[in-house]
Amino acid sequence: MKTLNNLQKISLLVAVLFCVAAPTMGYLKIGLPPVIIVGGAAIIGFFFWYFTYLRNPTDPKIILPLFVITVACLQIHIVEEYLTHFGPAMSRLFDIPWSEKSFLMVFALVGPTIYILTALGLYYRIPLAGFIAWFIFIGPGVMEFTHFIFPLIQPQLEPTNLKNVTQTINGIAVTNMPNYYIRATGHYYFAGMYTAILPMIPGIYSIYRLIKEHKIQSKKTN
């Protein structure tokens, strides 16, 4: 196994810090769901990245189109989430302070900036960019299936009230929290559910394609 160079060591350190810091900050600011979803995707993505991309970055001709397509599908999905108040819906479901403003900051402003820089990093085969890409493939690629579970979970805030509610949670005012509980609405839907499959398709395919490519490259070097 190749010894890590300085750039790879720095990327490894940053990736480990991200796996710890991201779910921790999510837990402190929002609650347990980000730890499960974000933390789970980060840790799983870390192991895939560590054993595939870190020492032998994938050819940009292969990984870059996969990443761009996955991110494009994710952004379409986020449009539906915004229009159907995903953040406030999650707040009502789990009694967590996830406001519309917080949702927009993360997914509409900070997220696209990271995606652009990651695409640039993948082009130049920067190890850390590979970690972010794997995190996206695992997150939207696998974790989006949770949208199909959320309608079955009883909200912690006014589960039988069909009207949008506004409430202060942990000192943060969360407005217009919709109720998508199927036993209350009679309709199987949750914010973002219709387009949740969009990033899942290229995300899951990317995982398969990159593992296959890694096996091919490993055979060539052995």
PDB file of all heavy atoms in Angstrom, residues 42-78:
ATOM      1  N   ALA A  42     -21.464  10.800   6.123  1.00  0.00           N
ATOM      2  CA  ALA A  42     -20.054  11.201   6.184  1.00  0.00           C
ATOM      3  C   ALA A  42     -19.157  10.015   6.530  1.00  0.00           C
ATOM      4  O   ALA A  42     -18.107   9.816   5.904  1.00  0.00           O
ATOM      5  CB  ALA A  42     -19.881  12.317   7.212  1.00  0.00           C
ATOM      6  N   ILE A  43     -19.556   9.231   7.491  1.00  0.00           N
ATOM      7  CA  ILE A  43     -18.730   8.104   7.923  1.00  0.00           C
ATOM      8  C   ILE A  43     -18.667   7.014   6.854  1.00  0.00           C
ATOM      9  O   ILE A  43     -17.592   6.480   6.539  1.00  0.00           O
ATOM     10  CB  ILE A  43     -19.266   7.529   9.250  1.00  0.00           C
ATOM     11  CG1 ILE A  43     -19.061   8.556  10.384  1.00  0.00           C
ATOM     12  CG2 ILE A  43     -18.553   6.215   9.596  1.00  0.00           C
ATOM     13  CD1 ILE A  43     -19.717   8.178  11.683  1.00  0.00           C
ATOM     14  N   ILE A  44     -19.818   6.678   6.270  1.00  0.00           N
ATOM     15  CA  ILE A  44     -19.831   5.665   5.210  1.00  0.00           C
ATOM     16  C   ILE A  44     -19.025   6.152   4.007  1.00  0.00           C
ATOM     17  O   ILE A  44     -18.221   5.414   3.434  1.00  0.00           O
ATOM     18  CB  ILE A  44     -21.274   5.331   4.797  1.00  0.00           C
ATOM     19  CG1 ILE A  44     -22.024   4.686   5.969  1.00  0.00           C
ATOM     20  CG2 ILE A  44     -21.280   4.387   3.583  1.00  0.00           C
ATOM     21  CD1 ILE A  44     -23.506   4.515   5.728  1.00  0.00           C
ATOM     22  N   GLY A  45     -19.254   7.424   3.639  1.00  0.00           N
ATOM     23  CA  GLY A  45     -18.517   7.999   2.521  1.00  0.00           C
ATOM     24  C   GLY A  45     -17.025   8.029   2.787  1.00  0.00           C
ATOM     25  O   GLY A  45     -16.216   7.824   1.876  1.00  0.00           O
ATOM     26  N   PHE A  46     -16.642   8.267   4.040  1.00  0.00           N
ATOM     27  CA  PHE A  46     -15.229   8.310   4.405  1.00  0.00           C
ATOM     28  C   PHE A  46     -14.542   6.980   4.115  1.00  0.00           C
ATOM     29  O   PHE A  46     -13.445   6.952   3.543  1.00  0.00           O
ATOM     30  CB  PHE A  46     -15.088   8.651   5.893  1.00  0.00           C
ATOM     31  CG  PHE A  46     -13.667   8.594   6.392  1.00  0.00           C
ATOM     32  CD1 PHE A  46     -12.837   9.697   6.282  1.00  0.00           C
ATOM     33  CD2 PHE A  46     -13.171   7.439   6.971  1.00  0.00           C
ATOM     34  CE1 PHE A  46     -11.514   9.643   6.728  1.00  0.00           C
ATOM     35  CE2 PHE A  46     -11.859   7.369   7.423  1.00  0.00           C
ATOM     36  CZ  PHE A  46     -11.032   8.477   7.305  1.00  0.00           C
ATOM     37  N   PHE A  47     -15.169   5.884   4.478  1.00  0.00           N
ATOM     38  CA  PHE A  47     -14.547   4.574   4.272  1.00  0.00           C
ATOM     39  C   PHE A  47     -14.449   4.221   2.786  1.00  0.00           C
ATOM     40  O   PHE A  47     -13.433   3.678   2.336  1.00  0.00           O
ATOM     41  CB  PHE A  47     -15.317   3.493   5.036  1.00  0.00           C
ATOM     42  CG  PHE A  47     -15.007   3.475   6.503  1.00  0.00           C
ATOM     43  CD1 PHE A  47     -15.872   4.034   7.426  1.00  0.00           C
ATOM     44  CD2 PHE A  47     -13.829   2.911   6.956  1.00  0.00           C
ATOM     45  CE1 PHE A  47     -15.580   4.024   8.787  1.00  0.00           C
ATOM     46  CE2 PHE A  47     -13.518   2.896   8.312  1.00  0.00           C
ATOM     47  CZ  PHE A  47     -14.398   3.458   9.233  1.00  0.00           C
ATOM     48  N   PHE A  48     -15.484   4.549   2.017  1.00  0.00           N
ATOM     49  CA  PHE A  48     -15.399   4.323   0.576  1.00  0.00           C
ATOM     50  C   PHE A  48     -14.267   5.151  -0.018  1.00  0.00           C
ATOM     51  O   PHE A  48     -13.480   4.663  -0.840  1.00  0.00           O
ATOM     52  CB  PHE A  48     -16.725   4.685  -0.105  1.00  0.00           C
ATOM     53  CG  PHE A  48     -17.745   3.579  -0.075  1.00  0.00           C
ATOM     54  CD1 PHE A  48     -18.856   3.655   0.757  1.00  0.00           C
ATOM     55  CD2 PHE A  48     -17.605   2.468  -0.899  1.00  0.00           C
ATOM     56  CE1 PHE A  48     -19.800   2.639   0.778  1.00  0.00           C
ATOM     57  CE2 PHE A  48     -18.549   1.452  -0.889  1.00  0.00           C
ATOM     58  CZ  PHE A  48     -19.646   1.537  -0.047  1.00  0.00           C
ATOM     59  N   TRP A  49     -14.194   6.416   0.358  1.00  0.00           N
ATOM     60  CA  TRP A  49     -13.162   7.324  -0.146  1.00  0.00           C
ATOM     61  C   TRP A  49     -11.768   6.869   0.262  1.00  0.00           C
ATOM     62  O   TRP A  49     -10.836   6.878  -0.554  1.00  0.00           O
ATOM     63  CB  TRP A  49     -13.443   8.727   0.398  1.00  0.00           C
ATOM     64  CG  TRP A  49     -12.324   9.716   0.226  1.00  0.00           C
ATOM     65  CD1 TRP A  49     -11.939  10.320  -0.936  1.00  0.00           C
ATOM     66  CD2 TRP A  49     -11.462  10.222   1.248  1.00  0.00           C
ATOM     67  NE1 TRP A  49     -10.892  11.187  -0.697  1.00  0.00           N
ATOM     68  CE2 TRP A  49     -10.573  11.142   0.632  1.00  0.00           C
ATOM     69  CE3 TRP A  49     -11.359  10.006   2.618  1.00  0.00           C
ATOM     70  CZ2 TRP A  49      -9.597  11.825   1.350  1.00  0.00           C
ATOM     71  CZ3 TRP A  49     -10.394  10.693   3.338  1.00  0.00           C
ATOM     72  CH2 TRP A  49      -9.525  11.585   2.710  1.00  0.00           C
ATOM     73  N   TYR A  50     -11.622   6.447   1.511  1.00  0.00           N
ATOM     74  CA  TYR A  50     -10.311   6.046   2.032  1.00  0.00           C
ATOM     75  C   TYR A  50      -9.743   4.862   1.257  1.00  0.00           C
ATOM     76  O   TYR A  50      -8.538   4.823   0.958  1.00  0.00           O
ATOM     77  CB  TYR A  50     -10.437   5.693   3.515  1.00  0.00           C
ATOM     78  CG  TYR A  50      -9.120   5.295   4.152  1.00  0.00           C
ATOM     79  CD1 TYR A  50      -8.260   6.269   4.659  1.00  0.00           C
ATOM     80  CD2 TYR A  50      -8.740   3.958   4.250  1.00  0.00           C
ATOM     81  CE1 TYR A  50      -7.042   5.913   5.241  1.00  0.00           C
ATOM     82  CE2 TYR A  50      -7.527   3.593   4.827  1.00  0.00           C
ATOM     83  CZ  TYR A  50      -6.688   4.573   5.324  1.00  0.00           C
ATOM     84  OH  TYR A  50      -5.484   4.227   5.884  1.00  0.00           O
ATOM     85  N   PHE A  51     -10.604   3.912   0.913  1.00  0.00           N
ATOM     86  CA  PHE A  51     -10.118   2.704   0.258  1.00  0.00           C
ATOM     87  C   PHE A  51     -10.150   2.783  -1.271  1.00  0.00           C
ATOM     88  O   PHE A  51      -9.737   1.828  -1.945  1.00  0.00           O
ATOM     89  CB  PHE A  51     -10.923   1.490   0.724  1.00  0.00           C
ATOM     90  CG  PHE A  51     -10.646   1.108   2.152  1.00  0.00           C
ATOM     91  CD1 PHE A  51     -11.578   1.365   3.149  1.00  0.00           C
ATOM     92  CD2 PHE A  51      -9.447   0.508   2.501  1.00  0.00           C
ATOM     93  CE1 PHE A  51     -11.317   1.028   4.472  1.00  0.00           C
ATOM     94  CE2 PHE A  51      -9.187   0.162   3.820  1.00  0.00           C
ATOM     95  CZ  PHE A  51     -10.117   0.426   4.817  1.00  0.00           C
ATOM     96  N   THR A  52     -10.631   3.897  -1.820  1.00  0.00           N
ATOM     97  CA  THR A  52     -10.668   4.018  -3.277  1.00  0.00           C
ATOM     98  C   THR A  52      -9.915   5.249  -3.781  1.00  0.00           C
ATOM     99  O   THR A  52      -8.923   5.126  -4.484  1.00  0.00           O
ATOM    100  CB  THR A  52     -12.116   4.079  -3.785  1.00  0.00           C
ATOM    101  OG1 THR A  52     -12.790   5.208  -3.213  1.00  0.00           O
ATOM    102  CG2 THR A  52     -12.881   2.808  -3.441  1.00  0.00           C
ATOM    103  N   TYR A  53     -10.376   6.432  -3.391  1.00  0.00           N
ATOM    104  CA  TYR A  53      -9.900   7.671  -4.018  1.00  0.00           C
ATOM    105  C   TYR A  53      -8.654   8.262  -3.370  1.00  0.00           C
ATOM    106  O   TYR A  53      -7.829   8.878  -4.055  1.00  0.00           O
ATOM    107  CB  TYR A  53     -11.029   8.711  -3.983  1.00  0.00           C
ATOM    108  CG  TYR A  53     -10.794   9.926  -4.854  1.00  0.00           C
ATOM    109  CD1 TYR A  53     -11.352  10.007  -6.126  1.00  0.00           C
ATOM    110  CD2 TYR A  53     -10.037  10.996  -4.403  1.00  0.00           C
ATOM    111  CE1 TYR A  53     -11.150  11.118  -6.930  1.00  0.00           C
ATOM    112  CE2 TYR A  53      -9.822  12.112  -5.193  1.00  0.00           C
ATOM    113  CZ  TYR A  53     -10.385  12.167  -6.457  1.00  0.00           C
ATOM    114  OH  TYR A  53     -10.176  13.273  -7.245  1.00  0.00           O
ATOM    115  N   LEU A  54      -8.511   8.117  -2.080  1.00  0.00           N
ATOM    116  CA  LEU A  54      -7.461   8.836  -1.342  1.00  0.00           C
ATOM    117  C   LEU A  54      -6.078   8.628  -1.936  1.00  0.00           C
ATOM    118  O   LEU A  54      -5.346   9.590  -2.197  1.00  0.00           O
ATOM    119  CB  LEU A  54      -7.474   8.413   0.133  1.00  0.00           C
ATOM    120  CG  LEU A  54      -6.371   9.032   1.013  1.00  0.00           C
ATOM    121  CD1 LEU A  54      -6.472  10.558   1.013  1.00  0.00           C
ATOM    122  CD2 LEU A  54      -6.472   8.493   2.436  1.00  0.00           C
ATOM    123  N   ARG A  55      -5.667   7.383  -2.142  1.00  0.00           N
ATOM    124  CA  ARG A  55      -4.324   7.100  -2.655  1.00  0.00           C
ATOM    125  C   ARG A  55      -4.270   7.107  -4.184  1.00  0.00           C
ATOM    126  O   ARG A  55      -3.231   7.407  -4.767  1.00  0.00           O
ATOM    127  CB  ARG A  55      -3.834   5.746  -2.126  1.00  0.00           C
ATOM    128  CG  ARG A  55      -3.509   5.753  -0.642  1.00  0.00           C
ATOM    129  CD  ARG A  55      -3.053   4.383  -0.176  1.00  0.00           C
ATOM    130  NE  ARG A  55      -2.561   4.412   1.193  1.00  0.00           N
ATOM    131  CZ  ARG A  55      -3.344   4.379   2.263  1.00  0.00           C
ATOM    132  NH1 ARG A  55      -4.663   4.327   2.105  1.00  0.00           N
ATOM    133  NH2 ARG A  55      -2.826   4.399   3.478  1.00  0.00           N
ATOM    134  N   ASN A  56      -5.379   6.778  -4.808  1.00  0.00           N
ATOM    135  CA  ASN A  56      -5.417   6.713  -6.275  1.00  0.00           C
ATOM    136  C   ASN A  56      -6.664   7.438  -6.788  1.00  0.00           C
ATOM    137  O   ASN A  56      -7.695   6.803  -7.033  1.00  0.00           O
ATOM    138  CB  ASN A  56      -5.434   5.256  -6.748  1.00  0.00           C
ATOM    139  CG  ASN A  56      -4.183   4.503  -6.358  1.00  0.00           C
ATOM    140  OD1 ASN A  56      -3.093   4.812  -6.821  1.00  0.00           O
ATOM    141  ND2 ASN A  56      -4.343   3.508  -5.489  1.00  0.00           N
ATOM    142  N   PRO A  57      -6.585   8.765  -6.925  1.00  0.00           N
ATOM    143  CA  PRO A  57      -7.746   9.544  -7.382  1.00  0.00           C
ATOM    144  C   PRO A  57      -8.304   9.022  -8.704  1.00  0.00           C
ATOM    145  O   PRO A  57      -7.553   8.706  -9.629  1.00  0.00           O
ATOM    146  CB  PRO A  57      -7.179  10.955  -7.541  1.00  0.00           C
ATOM    147  CG  PRO A  57      -6.047  11.004  -6.570  1.00  0.00           C
ATOM    148  CD  PRO A  57      -5.434   9.631  -6.617  1.00  0.00           C
ATOM    149  N   THR A  58      -9.609   8.928  -8.753  1.00  0.00           N
ATOM    150  CA  THR A  58     -10.280   8.442  -9.953  1.00  0.00           C
ATOM    151  C   THR A  58     -10.127   9.446 -11.096  1.00  0.00           C
ATOM    152  O   THR A  58     -10.117  10.656 -10.871  1.00  0.00           O
ATOM    153  CB  THR A  58     -11.776   8.231  -9.672  1.00  0.00           C
ATOM    154  OG1 THR A  58     -11.920   7.408  -8.505  1.00  0.00           O
ATOM    155  CG2 THR A  58     -12.473   7.562 -10.844  1.00  0.00           C
ATOM    156  N   ASP A  59      -9.997   8.942 -12.295  1.00  0.00           N
ATOM    157  CA  ASP A  59      -9.892   9.782 -13.487  1.00  0.00           C
ATOM    158  C   ASP A  59     -11.064  10.779 -13.514  1.00  0.00           C
ATOM    159  O   ASP A  59     -12.223  10.376 -13.412  1.00  0.00           O
ATOM    160  CB  ASP A  59      -9.944   8.894 -14.734  1.00  0.00           C
ATOM    161  CG  ASP A  59      -9.651   9.655 -16.015  1.00  0.00           C
ATOM    162  OD1 ASP A  59      -9.819  10.888 -16.047  1.00  0.00           O
ATOM    163  OD2 ASP A  59      -9.260   9.009 -16.998  1.00  0.00           O
ATOM    164  N   PRO A  60     -10.772  12.085 -13.654  1.00  0.00           N
ATOM    165  CA  PRO A  60     -11.843  13.087 -13.706  1.00  0.00           C
ATOM    166  C   PRO A  60     -12.878  12.810 -14.791  1.00  0.00           C
ATOM    167  O   PRO A  60     -14.052  13.188 -14.643  1.00  0.00           O
ATOM    168  CB  PRO A  60     -11.081  14.389 -13.987  1.00  0.00           C
ATOM    169  CG  PRO A  60      -9.714  14.153 -13.463  1.00  0.00           C
ATOM    170  CD  PRO A  60      -9.442  12.700 -13.710  1.00  0.00           C
ATOM    171  N   LYS A  61     -12.463  12.162 -15.876  1.00  0.00           N
ATOM    172  CA  LYS A  61     -13.409  11.843 -16.944  1.00  0.00           C
ATOM    173  C   LYS A  61     -14.506  10.899 -16.466  1.00  0.00           C
ATOM    174  O   LYS A  61     -15.588  10.845 -17.055  1.00  0.00           O
ATOM    175  CB  LYS A  61     -12.665  11.208 -18.119  1.00  0.00           C
ATOM    176  CG  LYS A  61     -11.726  12.159 -18.854  1.00  0.00           C
ATOM    177  CD  LYS A  61     -11.054  11.453 -20.014  1.00  0.00           C
ATOM    178  CE  LYS A  61     -10.082  12.390 -20.733  1.00  0.00           C
ATOM    179  NZ  LYS A  61      -9.400  11.699 -21.856  1.00  0.00           N
ATOM    180  N   ILE A  62     -14.223  10.171 -15.390  1.00  0.00           N
ATOM    181  CA  ILE A  62     -15.202   9.222 -14.848  1.00  0.00           C
ATOM    182  C   ILE A  62     -15.985   9.839 -13.701  1.00  0.00           C
ATOM    183  O   ILE A  62     -17.215   9.869 -13.706  1.00  0.00           O
ATOM    184  CB  ILE A  62     -14.501   7.930 -14.387  1.00  0.00           C
ATOM    185  CG1 ILE A  62     -13.876   7.219 -15.585  1.00  0.00           C
ATOM    186  CG2 ILE A  62     -15.495   7.008 -13.671  1.00  0.00           C
ATOM    187  CD1 ILE A  62     -13.056   6.004 -15.218  1.00  0.00           C
ATOM    188  N   ILE A  63     -15.283  10.360 -12.689  1.00  0.00           N
ATOM    189  CA  ILE A  63     -15.956  10.806 -11.470  1.00  0.00           C
ATOM    190  C   ILE A  63     -16.606  12.181 -11.602  1.00  0.00           C
ATOM    191  O   ILE A  63     -17.662  12.429 -11.013  1.00  0.00           O
ATOM    192  CB  ILE A  63     -14.974  10.794 -10.271  1.00  0.00           C
ATOM    193  CG1 ILE A  63     -15.759  10.976  -8.963  1.00  0.00           C
ATOM    194  CG2 ILE A  63     -13.881  11.841 -10.435  1.00  0.00           C
ATOM    195  CD1 ILE A  63     -14.914  10.776  -7.723  1.00  0.00           C
ATOM    196  N   LEU A  64     -16.019  13.068 -12.393  1.00  0.00           N
ATOM    197  CA  LEU A  64     -16.557  14.430 -12.480  1.00  0.00           C
ATOM    198  C   LEU A  64     -17.956  14.475 -13.096  1.00  0.00           C
ATOM    199  O   LEU A  64     -18.852  15.119 -12.532  1.00  0.00           O
ATOM    200  CB  LEU A  64     -15.581  15.330 -13.249  1.00  0.00           C
ATOM    201  CG  LEU A  64     -15.919  16.825 -13.284  1.00  0.00           C
ATOM    202  CD1 LEU A  64     -16.159  17.364 -11.875  1.00  0.00           C
ATOM    203  CD2 LEU A  64     -14.787  17.602 -13.962  1.00  0.00           C
ATOM    204  N   PRO A  65     -18.215  13.807 -14.220  1.00  0.00           N
ATOM    205  CA  PRO A  65     -19.588  13.813 -14.744  1.00  0.00           C
ATOM    206  C   PRO A  65     -20.591  13.193 -13.775  1.00  0.00           C
ATOM    207  O   PRO A  65     -21.714  13.684 -13.648  1.00  0.00           O
ATOM    208  CB  PRO A  65     -19.476  12.983 -16.033  1.00  0.00           C
ATOM    209  CG  PRO A  65     -18.049  13.081 -16.430  1.00  0.00           C
ATOM    210  CD  PRO A  65     -17.287  13.119 -15.137  1.00  0.00           C
ATOM    211  N   LEU A  66     -20.186  12.132 -13.086  1.00  0.00           N
ATOM    212  CA  LEU A  66     -21.073  11.494 -12.117  1.00  0.00           C
ATOM    213  C   LEU A  66     -21.440  12.468 -11.000  1.00  0.00           C
ATOM    214  O   LEU A  66     -22.600  12.548 -10.577  1.00  0.00           O
ATOM    215  CB  LEU A  66     -20.400  10.258 -11.519  1.00  0.00           C
ATOM    216  CG  LEU A  66     -20.113   9.097 -12.474  1.00  0.00           C
ATOM    217  CD1 LEU A  66     -19.283   8.024 -11.772  1.00  0.00           C
ATOM    218  CD2 LEU A  66     -21.409   8.503 -13.002  1.00  0.00           C
ATOM    219  N   PHE A  67     -20.446  13.210 -10.538  1.00  0.00           N
ATOM    220  CA  PHE A  67     -20.672  14.175  -9.457  1.00  0.00           C
ATOM    221  C   PHE A  67     -21.581  15.311  -9.913  1.00  0.00           C
ATOM    222  O   PHE A  67     -22.531  15.676  -9.210  1.00  0.00           O
ATOM    223  CB  PHE A  67     -19.336  14.730  -8.978  1.00  0.00           C
ATOM    224  CG  PHE A  67     -19.464  15.792  -7.922  1.00  0.00           C
ATOM    225  CD1 PHE A  67     -19.803  15.455  -6.617  1.00  0.00           C
ATOM    226  CD2 PHE A  67     -19.263  17.126  -8.239  1.00  0.00           C
ATOM    227  CE1 PHE A  67     -19.948  16.447  -5.631  1.00  0.00           C
ATOM    228  CE2 PHE A  67     -19.400  18.115  -7.268  1.00  0.00           C
ATOM    229  CZ  PHE A  67     -19.740  17.773  -5.964  1.00  0.00           C
ATOM    230  N   VAL A  68     -21.308  15.862 -11.086  1.00  0.00           N
ATOM    231  CA  VAL A  68     -22.094  16.997 -11.592  1.00  0.00           C
ATOM    232  C   VAL A  68     -23.553  16.597 -11.795  1.00  0.00           C
ATOM    233  O   VAL A  68     -24.477  17.337 -11.428  1.00  0.00           O
ATOM    234  CB  VAL A  68     -21.484  17.531 -12.900  1.00  0.00           C
ATOM    235  CG1 VAL A  68     -22.415  18.565 -13.543  1.00  0.00           C
ATOM    236  CG2 VAL A  68     -20.119  18.161 -12.628  1.00  0.00           C
ATOM    237  N   ILE A  69     -23.778  15.433 -12.368  1.00  0.00           N
ATOM    238  CA  ILE A  69     -25.153  14.968 -12.596  1.00  0.00           C
ATOM    239  C   ILE A  69     -25.879  14.745 -11.274  1.00  0.00           C
ATOM    240  O   ILE A  69     -27.049  15.116 -11.118  1.00  0.00           O
ATOM    241  CB  ILE A  69     -25.155  13.675 -13.435  1.00  0.00           C
ATOM    242  CG1 ILE A  69     -24.667  13.969 -14.855  1.00  0.00           C
ATOM    243  CG2 ILE A  69     -26.554  13.052 -13.474  1.00  0.00           C
ATOM    244  CD1 ILE A  69     -24.438  12.737 -15.693  1.00  0.00           C
ATOM    245  N   THR A  70     -25.195  14.145 -10.304  1.00  0.00           N
ATOM    246  CA  THR A  70     -25.808  13.901  -8.997  1.00  0.00           C
ATOM    247  C   THR A  70     -26.182  15.212  -8.319  1.00  0.00           C
ATOM    248  O   THR A  70     -27.281  15.359  -7.767  1.00  0.00           O
ATOM    249  CB  THR A  70     -24.861  13.098  -8.088  1.00  0.00           C
ATOM    250  OG1 THR A  70     -24.528  11.862  -8.721  1.00  0.00           O
ATOM    251  CG2 THR A  70     -25.516  12.803  -6.740  1.00  0.00           C
ATOM    252  N   VAL A  71     -25.273  16.181  -8.367  1.00  0.00           N
ATOM    253  CA  VAL A  71     -25.523  17.480  -7.745  1.00  0.00           C
ATOM    254  C   VAL A  71     -26.662  18.219  -8.454  1.00  0.00           C
ATOM    255  O   VAL A  71     -27.500  18.856  -7.806  1.00  0.00           O
ATOM    256  CB  VAL A  71     -24.239  18.332  -7.743  1.00  0.00           C
ATOM    257  CG1 VAL A  71     -24.558  19.783  -7.423  1.00  0.00           C
ATOM    258  CG2 VAL A  71     -23.237  17.777  -6.742  1.00  0.00           C
ATOM    259  N   ALA A  72     -26.706  18.138  -9.784  1.00  0.00           N
ATOM    260  CA  ALA A  72     -27.785  18.789 -10.534  1.00  0.00           C
ATOM    261  C   ALA A  72     -29.140  18.210 -10.130  1.00  0.00           C
ATOM    262  O   ALA A  72     -30.112  18.951  -9.905  1.00  0.00           O
ATOM    263  CB  ALA A  72     -27.557  18.616 -12.037  1.00  0.00           C
ATOM    264  N   CYS A  73     -29.211  16.891 -10.016  1.00  0.00           N
ATOM    265  CA  CYS A  73     -30.456  16.240  -9.581  1.00  0.00           C
ATOM    266  C   CYS A  73     -30.795  16.618  -8.148  1.00  0.00           C
ATOM    267  O   CYS A  73     -31.969  16.813  -7.803  1.00  0.00           O
ATOM    268  CB  CYS A  73     -30.318  14.725  -9.704  1.00  0.00           C
ATOM    269  SG  CYS A  73     -30.243  14.116 -11.410  1.00  0.00           S
ATOM    270  N   LEU A  74     -29.755  16.751  -7.319  1.00  0.00           N
ATOM    271  CA  LEU A  74     -29.973  17.146  -5.932  1.00  0.00           C
ATOM    272  C   LEU A  74     -30.566  18.539  -5.848  1.00  0.00           C
ATOM    273  O   LEU A  74     -31.479  18.786  -5.050  1.00  0.00           O
ATOM    274  CB  LEU A  74     -28.639  17.097  -5.172  1.00  0.00           C
ATOM    275  CG  LEU A  74     -28.652  17.605  -3.730  1.00  0.00           C
ATOM    276  CD1 LEU A  74     -29.620  16.792  -2.888  1.00  0.00           C
ATOM    277  CD2 LEU A  74     -27.252  17.553  -3.140  1.00  0.00           C
ATOM    278  N   GLN A  75     -30.088  19.462  -6.686  1.00  0.00           N
ATOM    279  CA  GLN A  75     -30.601  20.832  -6.655  1.00  0.00           C
ATOM    280  C   GLN A  75     -32.060  20.901  -7.097  1.00  0.00           C
ATOM    281  O   GLN A  75     -32.843  21.688  -6.559  1.00  0.00           O
ATOM    282  CB  GLN A  75     -29.735  21.736  -7.529  1.00  0.00           C
ATOM    283  CG  GLN A  75     -28.344  21.988  -6.970  1.00  0.00           C
ATOM    284  CD  GLN A  75     -28.377  22.577  -5.558  1.00  0.00           C
ATOM    285  OE1 GLN A  75     -28.038  21.906  -4.588  1.00  0.00           O
ATOM    286  NE2 GLN A  75     -28.817  23.813  -5.432  1.00  0.00           N
ATOM    287  N   ILE A  76     -32.426  20.074  -8.066  1.00  0.00           N
ATOM    288  CA  ILE A  76     -33.842  20.005  -8.461  1.00  0.00           C
ATOM    289  C   ILE A  76     -34.680  19.507  -7.287  1.00  0.00           C
ATOM    290  O   ILE A  76     -35.765  20.033  -7.000  1.00  0.00           O
ATOM    291  CB  ILE A  76     -34.012  19.076  -9.679  1.00  0.00           C
ATOM    292  CG1 ILE A  76     -33.298  19.662 -10.901  1.00  0.00           C
ATOM    293  CG2 ILE A  76     -35.499  18.843  -9.979  1.00  0.00           C
ATOM    294  CD1 ILE A  76     -33.264  18.731 -12.092  1.00  0.00           C
ATOM    295  N   HIS A  77     -34.161  18.510  -6.605  1.00  0.00           N
ATOM    296  CA  HIS A  77     -34.837  17.963  -5.430  1.00  0.00           C
ATOM    297  C   HIS A  77     -34.998  19.024  -4.338  1.00  0.00           C
ATOM    298  O   HIS A  77     -36.060  19.126  -3.701  1.00  0.00           O
ATOM    299  CB  HIS A  77     -34.035  16.774  -4.904  1.00  0.00           C
ATOM    300  CG  HIS A  77     -34.465  16.273  -3.574  1.00  0.00           C
ATOM    301  ND1 HIS A  77     -35.749  15.845  -3.299  1.00  0.00           N
ATOM    302  CD2 HIS A  77     -33.763  16.130  -2.403  1.00  0.00           C
ATOM    303  CE1 HIS A  77     -35.829  15.456  -2.035  1.00  0.00           C
ATOM    304  NE2 HIS A  77     -34.645  15.621  -1.476  1.00  0.00           N
ATOM    305  N   ILE A  78     -33.967  19.829  -4.145  1.00  0.00           N
ATOM    306  CA  ILE A  78     -34.007  20.867  -3.112  1.00  0.00           C
ATOM    307  C   ILE A  78     -35.051  21.932  -3.430  1.00  0.00           C
ATOM    308  O   ILE A  78     -35.646  22.521  -2.520  1.00  0.00           O
ATOM    309  CB  ILE A  78     -32.608  21.485  -2.939  1.00  0.00           C
ATOM    310  CG1 ILE A  78     -31.684  20.474  -2.239  1.00  0.00           C
ATOM    311  CG2 ILE A  78     -32.664  22.783  -2.122  1.00  0.00           C
ATOM    312  CD1 ILE A  78     -30.238  20.892  -2.171  1.00  0.00           C
TER     313      ILE A  78
END
